[in-house]
Each structure stands twice: as C-alpha cells, then as structure tokens.
Amino acid sequence: VQLQASGGGLVQAGGSLRLSCAASGFSLDFYAINWFRQAPGKEREGISCISSSSTNRQYLDSVKGRFTISRDNARNTVYLQMNNLKPEDTAVYYCAVPPLVGRDDCAITGHMDFWGKGTLVTVSS
C-alpha cells in the first residue's frame, strides 16, 4: 500500500499548481481522501477532503474558493488544484486515507490510516 503526492514546486504568488495523489497496492474507490499541509515551524493542518462518491468536498476556510479537490477513480488518483497561491500556502503537502466511512462522508481532520510522502510547495512573493 503506497500513496505518493506529486506536483509541488516553486511558483510566484497568484500562480497555480495541481497536486496529484496516486495510490498503488489498493483501490481508492471506496475511500475518502484527505489533503494536509505542514508549513515550516507549524503544526500539520487538514485542508481538504473528498468523499468516495465525490459528492462531499470540504475545505479549510483559508483555501476555500482557491483550492479544488477532485478524484479520478479510473486512475486511482486524487487531485488538488491550487489557484491564486499565496506565500502562506508554502508547505509540504500530504495526502492521506482515513478509515472507511460512508460514501458521502469526509472530514478535513481526524485519524488517518495511511499517509503519502509529501510534496513541497513554495510560493514566492
């Protein structure tokens, strides 16, 4: 079982990046998926989640309207489109899998069963 986040990089403020979270060794079909981030010197925070049905998508207030989570079960991948990036978005971004919940359920915080390796996003001012 492996999760791999990718797509990070250096971008100027106002720019965009799309992060991917690819799973191998298991199917994401029945799982909600979460994105977290951890900025230097700060605690890790949950920023978004998507239910297995894709009908429920939650966002941290500070990224609402700028970030969009989506999933492609055929590719076993979840995405985080990040627009209008700000310097305060600089962090290592992680995807994670929570315990099984209802198909329309997800929450941006809570216990995660699996974590992917992170990808660094740096936003310059």
Side-chain angles (χ1 to χ4, degrees):
V1 173
Q2 192 171 15
L3 290 174
Q4 180 65 60
S6 62
L10 174 63
V11 64
Q12 288 188 331
S16 298
L17 285 172
R18 188 177 80 158
L19 305 185
S20 298
C21 174
S24 58
F26 75 108
S27 172
L28 292 178
D29 285 12
F30 301 106
Y31 291 91
I33 303 296
N34 285 58
W35 284 98
F36 289 77
R37 68 185 180 187
Q38 187 165 20
K42 295 189 177 181
E43 292 188 354
R44 185 170 57 201
E45 63 179 354
I47 58 172
S48 186
C49 67
I50 184 168
S51 64
S52 61
S53 68
S54 298
T55 58
N56 188 0
R57 309 180 196 204
Q58 304 288 330
Y59 299 94
L60 186 68
D61 283 348
S62 61
V63 308
K64 279 181 183 176
R66 299 188 298 121
F67 290 11
T68 302
I69 192 170
S70 62
R71 64 192 298 154
D72 183 344
N73 287 346
R75 296 181 183 273
N76 219 25
T77 301
V78 173
Y79 303 99
L80 186 69
Q81 178 67 43
M82 306 187 297
N83 297 330
N84 191 21
L85 282 160
K86 304 177 180 181
E88 52 263 43
D89 295 318
T90 294
V92 178
Y93 285 70
Y94 301 88
C95 55
V97 179
L100 275 175
V101 293
R103 284 187 56 78
D104 298 324
D105 294 332
C106 80
I108 63 171
T109 58
H111 170 76
M112 299 291 129
D113 279 345
F114 302 115
W115 289 88
K117 294 181 180 179
T119 185
L120 176 62
V121 172
T122 304
V123 185
S124 63
S125 56

